[in-house]
Amino acid sequence: MRLRLLLLLICIGWGCQTPTEKKTYTIGFSQCTGGDEWRRVMLNDMKRELALYPHFQLLYKDAANSTATQLIQIKELVRQDIDLLIISPNETSSVLTAAIDEVFQKGIPVVLLDRKITSDSYNSFIGADNLEIGRMVGEAVPTLLKNGGKVVEIWGLASSSPAQERHKGLMEGIAKAPKIQISSQLYGQWEQDTARKVALANLDILREADLVFAHNDVMALSVQRVCQESGISPLPLFVGIDGLPGPKSGLQKIMDGTLTATFLYPTGGEEAIEVAAQILAGKAAKREYLLNSIRIDRSNIKAIKAQSDKLLHQQQDIEKLNQRIGQLNDTYASQKNALYVIITCLVLAVLLGIWALYLVRAKQLSNKKLELQNRQINEQKDKIEEVSNKARQATEEKLRFYSYISHEFRTPLSLILTPVEDLLIQKAISQKDLKSGLLYIQKNAHRLLRLVDQMLDLRKTDAGKQLLLASEQDIVQFLRDIVTDFQQKAHKSKIDLQFITSTPRLPLWFDAEKLDKVLFNLLSNAFKYTPKGGFIHVVLQETAKNVQIIIKDNGEGMSETEKERAFDLYFSGQKKYSLGTGLGLALSREFVHLHHGEIEVTSTKNEGTTFAISLPKGDAHLMPDEKALLDKTERPTPTFLEETEVVAPTPTAEVSGEPTTVVLIEDNIDLSHYIVDKLAKIVSIKSFTTAERGWEGILSMIPDLIICDVMLPGMDGFELTQRVKEDFRTSHIPVLLLTAKSQIDAKIEGSKAGADVYLTKPFNTTHLTETIKTMLNNRAKIQRRFSSEYVFAKENKTEKRFLNELTARIEAHIADTEFGVEKLSTDMGMSRVQLYRKVHALLQMNVNDYITEIRINKAKALLRDTNKSIADVAYETGFNSAAYFTTLFRQKQHQTPSEFRKGVGV
């Protein structure tokens, strides 16, 4: 129904259309300048002629005597899709000629008006014969100067073709008159103002001249006015070219006697439009249209002036008629449009009535369809949101994956570069230190090699270039060798590692290298998440068609979400990401699938995890190119052998007096051992592997410095730093973040959390040591300041709040002789050890000394401001006896309370 209505409307609209109109054409006109009267007349002639061609549109550009501007305007006209270009070149230059050539080569017809170019890239040239006009002037000069004389020539633009041809014709014309001499050539650039400036600068030349010939009337009249204003007498004769009608133009000036003679120079505006119409209509046009010229002087001026005036009146009448025709056309068009609108409205009214009836009948059906569509849209929306969430989550996981890859590479690099730097800077190296450093380097070089191999395997898998090279081997012996490789690690970790099988030998087709990587990844993960005293069992079972390899442990286990996404490439649950979990399990699954097998995982949180690999028996499932050419009877040299264990250092620092305590939180055991080994000589250091355990150690120890990694399992380093800085018990402790996250946003996040120093891995041991010393020295300076000035500003707000609260609680109980550390720690909500360490860290004194300082300061205020006795002052400030108060006061102030009171004049 709607289609029928649409077709009906189209038919009605088509019937109301007028007969096919002529194709419209766009003509571009680039004028060298529109500033003189002659070129304004040219434009008016063109517009008048265009009235006969209503399907022509004229785009006019004025270059204002600038070649550069004209080049830009030509390109603008071409971009406006003109059908033909009319151009009056500013000058005969190679650059302008090249631009016109380019237009012509694009298939756009070109008509040159008044001025030529140096190439043949144009359809027609329209203009007067400037060479012939020059000759006419040259032949007329001897008749005006019968006894000969000096002639001053006022040039137009020297680089334009009209000026060059007029000068050449002039020289040819006066060649037969030896008494005529061109005394000087001045350059007026076709413009009235320029000609005036040139004339003022050359008055001496003009005084000697008998005749001034200017290349147009405008310049001739301008020079004539200068000569008249300058009092030159007698005035020379003035001859120009143009012969334009009008009250201020050449014809009128001949009548007035201002000009002696002028030569008619037709504009060619009407002819240009006529030639353009012929070219656009596909008709042949002549190559050159040369317009005739005549000499105009007092002998023929009256007749020519009369004809000119009559033509002007006729042109004005034509323009009025064109305006009237335009008004009638507008009226006709508006009435026609009104008629179309009325007819259309009537038709629409009928159709709308029919359509309204149709809509009423179809309303219920439409509503049902809309309800169905809404349900479908909502379902699609839900699906899109679900896909979007999955895509966003996948992207986030992917970004996190690459971030953690950087972390995984930087940590072993730290344990390679840092020992190397330490060995290089030491002048004398003991055998023990050398071996320890080389073991760190070897172990972490192997770790880097594993990471690189896994990345290469991932790349091959993504590219589909991972090939299976299977051979028939004894799977029992293969698994026994792998388990044997892990026995030493199991022994050190106190984990029960067993290989369980009832079959002494079992041939199986598999790729030893890839299956070795799969089993190494699974066993490495099992060791990683199985606590000491746990078990890891590798079980080999056989069915009729398959062989099953089961790796079972009683470690941490997985949540349901972690279990579902265990083999996802960019997922590592809530734990710290590692290539062994996020990448290793994904690669393991790909390698098992290459064997045409399956791998499954079952796990329960806090109970353990079981991975089951099922591989088909025989070789019927293998393609010919999946079989190795050579029979491999032995397990290949393992790519993932466990490196030599580095013995954890035992701190042997000998500290005198109160030691500097440092808490280190680093989940990488090797790096933790290395840092402890290097720092144990200067500080007392305690290491932890998680932020949660580290926080417990911080609260129990109240250390002098905290060194913390950022990427930790569970709570990360940023969260721990923020917790340290927000808790008034630990807010004074400086925090050094040591991490592989070198991005600027990570550093900014660390600064926001309150970290004092942010060092990136790999780090220099000397730099780390000096940084720690500097932080401790700065903390000592703050302690000295706090110990001498209790009320301070612009320092840590948490520490200021702590000291203010501490002082306020002491002053509140200042008269209580029983008030001491026990009651103060209870009021502050801290243990005695925590309070002692906090006060000592801030004030460099113990709590009892600080309470005594507050009491003495209060006593000094009472002695200074009141007349109370020494005994009363002692009791009010919490001292048991006046004698003890006096003794203690003398020790602190080096004078007795009485002497102090006399000194302040009480």
Side-chain angles (χ1 to χ4, degrees):
M1 182 67 182
R2 293 180 182 178
L3 181 61
R4 293 175 183 174
L5 293 176
L6 181 61
L7 291 174
L8 181 59
L9 285 174
I10 293 174
C11 293
I12 292 173
W14 183 267
C16 295
Q17 294 293 319
T18 57
T20 304
E21 298 180 354
K22 289 185 178 181
K23 178 183 178 181
T24 59
Y25 294 96
T26 302
I27 299 175
F29 178 31
S30 176
Q31 179 68 285
C32 59
T33 179
D36 61 65
E37 184 63 27
W38 186 82
R39 296 198 177 275
R40 285 194 287 271
V41 172
M42 175 193 290
L43 182 60
N44 289 334
D45 292 345
M46 295 176 73
K47 290 180 178 179
R48 186 169 54 253
E49 186 67 19
L50 282 170
L52 302 177
Y53 301 93
H55 57 291
F56 283 3
Q57 178 186 5
L58 182 68
L59 299 179
Y60 174 67
K61 300 288 184 180
D62 183 356
N65 282 327
S66 171
T67 300
T69 302
Q70 193 165 39
L71 289 171
I72 295 173
Q73 292 175 349
I74 291 172
K75 293 180 180 179
E76 291 177 355
L77 290 172
V78 172
R79 285 197 296 269
Q80 291 177 311
D81 296 329
I82 58 173
D83 299 293
L84 182 141
L85 175 65
I86 301 175
I87 182 169
S88 179
N90 186 57
E91 58 180 343
T92 310
S93 67
S94 58
V95 176
L96 194 56
T97 300
I100 297 173
D101 289 346
E102 184 178 352
V103 175
F104 187 74
Q105 290 170 4
K106 289 182 178 180
I108 301 175
V110 177
V111 176
L112 298 181
L113 184 59
D114 176 44
R115 299 181 180 182
K116 295 182 178 179
I117 58 176
T118 57
S119 73
D120 296 330
S121 297
Y122 61 90
N123 296 76
S124 297
F125 167 76
I126 302 172
D129 189 345
N130 284 287
L131 186 63
E132 180 61 27
I133 292 176
R135 290 194 191 101
M136 293 172 64
V137 174
E139 293 171 356
V141 169
T143 64
L144 297 174
L145 298 176
K146 299 184 182 299
N147 297 324
K150 296 180 179 180
V151 176
V152 175
E153 182 181 7
I154 310 297
W155 276 62
L157 185 64
S159 57
S160 63
S161 60
Q164 295 169 357
E165 293 177 356
R166 289 176 187 181
H167 170 73
K168 183 178 180 181
L170 172 68
M171 300 307 294
E172 292 177 358
I174 65 175
K176 300 177 182 179
K179 294 182 180 181
I180 303 300
Q181 176 186 358
I182 303 297
S183 63
S184 184
Q185 296 178 356
L186 305 180
Y187 296 90
Q189 309 293 332
W190 301 114
E191 295 180 348
Q192 174 181 334
D193 294 338
T194 305
R196 179 177 178 83
K197 292 178 182 178
V198 171
L200 289 171
N202 296 274
L203 289 176
D204 293 339
I205 294 174
L206 294 174
R207 286 189 178 93
E208 298 296 327
D210 298 300
L211 184 144
V212 175
F213 164 57
H215 285 192
N216 64 12
D217 291 345
V218 172
M219 293 189 295
L221 292 172
S222 179
V223 175
Q224 191 274 342
R225 282 194 294 272
V226 171
C227 292
Q228 191 173 22
E229 293 170 358
S230 301
I232 296 177
S233 181
L235 289 172
L237 303 179
F238 291 90
V239 176
I241 297 176
D242 280 346
L244 293 177
K248 295 182 180 181
S249 300
L251 295 183
Q252 184 61 44
K253 296 304 178 181
I254 295 292
M255 292 286 293
D256 298 342
T258 304
L259 294 180
T260 304
T262 186
F263 290 81
L264 180 65
Y265 189 68
T267 64
E270 297 176 357
E271 290 81 356
I273 299 302
E274 292 176 355
V275 172
Q278 292 178 8
I279 294 174
L280 293 174
K283 298 178 181 179
K286 292 194 299 183
R287 180 72 172 174
E288 289 190 352
Y289 291 87
L290 297 179
L291 306 178
N292 297 322
S293 178
I294 61 172
R295 173 178 169 178
I296 304 173
D297 53 22
R298 297 189 68 83
S299 63
N300 59 358
I301 184 61
K302 292 184 179 179
I304 292 176
K305 184 70 167 57
Q307 293 177 357
S308 174
D309 292 343
K310 186 173 181 181
L311 285 174
L312 285 176
H313 288 303
Q314 290 177 348
Q315 290 174 1
Q316 292 174 356
D317 292 341
I318 291 172
E319 290 175 357
K320 291 179 180 179
L321 288 173
N322 285 335
Q323 292 177 358
R324 181 58 180 164
I325 291 172
Q327 293 173 355
L328 292 174
N329 285 334
D330 292 341
T331 302
Y332 168 74
S334 62
Q335 291 177 348
K336 181 177 67 174
N337 291 336
L339 180 61
Y340 288 163
V341 170
I342 293 172
I343 294 174
T344 302
C345 290
L346 289 175
V347 173
L348 287 176
V350 175
L351 294 177
L352 288 174
I354 298 172
W355 198 2
L357 180 62
Y358 165 78
L359 291 177
V360 171
R361 293 178 178 178
K363 183 178 180 180
Q364 292 181 346
L365 180 61
S366 297
N367 288 338
K368 292 180 179 179
K369 289 182 179 180
L370 286 175
E371 290 176 1
L372 178 61
Q373 290 176 354
N374 285 335
R375 285 196 299 270
Q376 294 174 346
I377 290 173
N378 289 331
E379 292 174 359
Q380 293 176 354
K381 180 182 177 182
D382 294 339
K383 291 180 180 179
I384 291 173
E385 289 180 353
E386 182 180 357
V387 172
S388 176
N389 290 333
K390 289 182 179 179
R392 182 174 63 254
Q393 185 177 3
T395 302
E396 292 174 354
E397 295 290 348
K398 188 174 182 180
L399 293 175
R400 186 175 64 176
F401 167 75
Y402 286 111
S403 175
Y404 282 119
I405 284 179
S406 173
H407 179 270
E408 288 286 327
F409 275 94
R410 283 179 175 270
T411 299
L413 279 175
S414 299
L415 287 168
I416 294 174
L417 294 176
T418 305
V420 169
E421 292 173 353
D422 289 345
L423 293 175
L424 289 175
I425 63 175
Q426 293 182 23
K427 296 181 180 180
I429 307 173
S430 66
Q431 189 68 22
K432 179 182 177 182
D433 291 342
L434 178 61
K435 183 176 181 181
S436 177
L438 291 177
L439 286 177
Y440 277 116
I441 294 170
Q442 181 195 39
K443 181 174 182 178
N444 287 278
H446 281 300
R447 183 175 297 166
L448 275 180
L449 179 61
R450 282 206 310 272
L451 298 180
V452 172
D453 287 342
Q454 286 190 341
M455 292 299 296
L456 291 177
D457 287 336
L458 173 63
R459 180 68 184 91
K460 289 180 181 179
T461 301
D462 288 342
K465 297 181 180 180
Q466 194 70 258
L467 302 178
L468 182 70
L469 296 176
S471 61
E472 188 176 30
Q473 303 177 55
D474 182 8
I475 188 64
V476 177
Q477 185 60 42
F478 182 80
L479 292 175
R480 183 174 287 112
D481 290 344
I482 292 179
V483 172
T484 301
D485 289 336
F486 281 90
Q487 284 294 349
Q488 185 179 5
K489 183 177 182 64
H491 178 71
K492 291 182 178 180
S493 301
K494 297 180 180 179
I495 293 176
D496 176 24
L497 175 63
Q498 295 184 30
F499 174 50
I500 303 171
T501 180
S502 59
T503 306
R505 188 177 185 280
L506 179 59
L508 183 70
W509 283 83
F510 62 91
D511 187 326
E513 179 186 1
K514 293 179 176 57
L515 190 58
D516 177 76
K517 293 178 181 180
V518 172
L519 296 172
F520 177 86
N521 283 326
L522 296 179
L523 285 171
S524 295
N525 286 340
F527 274 98
K528 188 173 184 178
Y529 298 114
T530 300
K532 290 183 179 181
F535 70 83
I536 300 174
H537 291 169
V538 180
V539 182
L540 179 64
Q541 297 177 349
E542 181 183 6
T543 63
K545 297 182 179 180
N546 297 312
V547 172
Q548 281 193 335
I549 304 171
I550 301 172
I551 300 175
K552 183 177 182 181
D553 65 65
N554 63 340
E556 295 182 11
M558 302 182 188
S559 65
E560 286 298 322
T561 302
E562 291 170 340
K563 184 172 63 175
E564 291 175 2
R565 303 188 62 183
F567 297 106
D568 288 359
L569 181 59
Y570 305 115
F571 182 76
S572 183
Q574 301 302 318
K575 303 180 180 66
K576 181 179 76 70
Y577 208 101
S578 71
L579 292 184
T581 53
L583 180 57
L585 289 181
L587 282 176
S588 297
R589 180 179 62 178
E590 295 298 327
F591 287 164
V592 171
H593 287 172
L594 281 175
H595 285 81
H596 304 277
E598 295 294 333
I599 182 172
E600 297 178 351
V601 59
T602 57
S603 182
T604 303
K605 194 67 175 175
N606 299 322
E607 292 185 11
T609 302
T610 300
F611 284 93
I613 301 173
S614 178
L615 300 177
K617 288 183 176 181
D619 62 348
H621 58 283
L622 297 175
M623 302 294 291
D625 59 351
E626 292 179 333
K627 297 180 181 180
L629 297 177
L630 299 176
D631 183 21
K632 296 184 180 180
T633 59
E634 296 182 0
R635 175 188 172 210
T637 301
T639 305
F640 301 107
L641 287 177
E642 183 67 17
E643 305 89 337
T644 305
E645 292 289 338
V646 180
V647 179
T650 302
T652 59
E654 295 181 1
V655 291
S656 59
E658 187 69 25
T660 298
T661 57
V662 174
V663 166
L664 170 65
I665 305 172
E666 170 61 59
D667 61 325
N668 186 283
I669 302 301
D670 291 339
L671 185 57
S672 177
H673 288 170
Y674 186 81
I675 295 175
V676 169
D677 183 42
K678 295 302 178 183
L679 298 184
K681 301 175 183 178
I682 60 172
V683 296
S684 174
I685 185 167
K686 178 68 174 176
S687 64
F688 300 91
T689 56
T690 66
E692 291 78 6
R693 295 175 183 172
W695 174 244
E696 295 175 0
I698 291 169
L699 292 180
S700 63
M701 296 172 58
I702 308 296
D704 298 291
L705 178 70
I706 299 171
I707 303 175
C708 183
D709 190 8
V710 171
M711 300 177 69
L712 296 168
M715 185 195 310
D716 63 19
F718 294 142
E719 296 177 35
L720 178 65
T721 301
Q722 190 171 5
R723 179 177 292 186
V724 167
K725 294 302 180 179
E726 289 178 352
D727 194 310
F728 72 88
R729 296 172 293 179
T730 57
S731 60
H732 65 284
I733 305 175
V735 179
L736 187 153
L737 290 179
L738 187 63
T739 178
K741 298 184 72 172
S742 59
Q743 299 88 347
I744 187 63
D745 55 348
K747 295 181 180 180
I748 293 173
E749 187 175 356
S751 298
K752 289 181 178 179
D756 296 85
V757 176
Y758 193 102
L759 291 183
T760 58
K761 302 175 185 176
F763 59 87
N764 181 280
T765 306
T766 304
H767 183 205
L768 175 62
T769 304
E770 293 302 321
T771 300
I772 292 172
K773 291 180 180 178
T774 300
M775 294 174 70
L776 294 175
N777 289 336
N778 291 337
R779 175 53 56 180
K781 292 177 182 179
I782 296 175
Q783 289 173 340
R784 288 193 294 270
R785 177 177 179 183
F786 285 0
S787 63
S788 60
E789 184 181 351
Y790 304 136
V791 181
F792 52 93
K794 299 182 180 179
E795 299 291 352
N796 187 295
K797 292 182 178 180
T798 305
E799 296 172 3
K800 179 180 178 180
R801 185 173 69 250
F802 172 79
L803 285 179
N804 287 338
E805 183 178 354
L806 182 68
T807 304
R809 292 187 182 277
I810 294 173
E811 290 178 347
H813 299 84
I814 198 166
D816 185 359
T817 58
E818 300 297 328
F819 185 75
V821 179
E822 289 290 345
K823 289 186 178 181
L824 181 58
S825 61
T826 302
D827 289 349
M828 295 296 292
M830 302 170 68
S831 68
R832 291 186 60 187
V833 175
Q834 289 175 337
L835 181 61
Y836 170 80
R837 291 184 178 275
K838 179 77 173 181
V839 173
H840 187 272
L842 290 177
L843 303 176
Q844 206 72 4
M845 65 173 65
N846 61 43
V847 181
N848 284 322
D849 288 343
Y850 186 59
I851 294 174
T852 301
E853 284 288 338
I854 298 297
R855 294 183 189 278
I856 292 296
N857 287 337
K858 181 65 174 179
K860 287 165 61 177
L862 293 174
L863 291 171
R864 181 180 61 248
D865 300 331
T866 68
N867 293 322
K868 294 181 180 180
S869 64
I870 302 300
D872 291 339
V873 171
Y875 295 138
E876 284 191 26
T877 53
F879 292 98
N880 290 322
S881 67
Y884 175 68
F885 166 67
T886 301
T887 301
L888 190 59
F889 191 91
R890 180 185 295 152
Q891 291 177 358
K892 297 290 185 180
Q893 302 298 320
H894 305 293
Q895 57 183 338
T896 65
S898 300
E899 291 172 347
F900 175 81
R901 175 171 281 179
K902 289 178 182 180
V904 296
V906 179

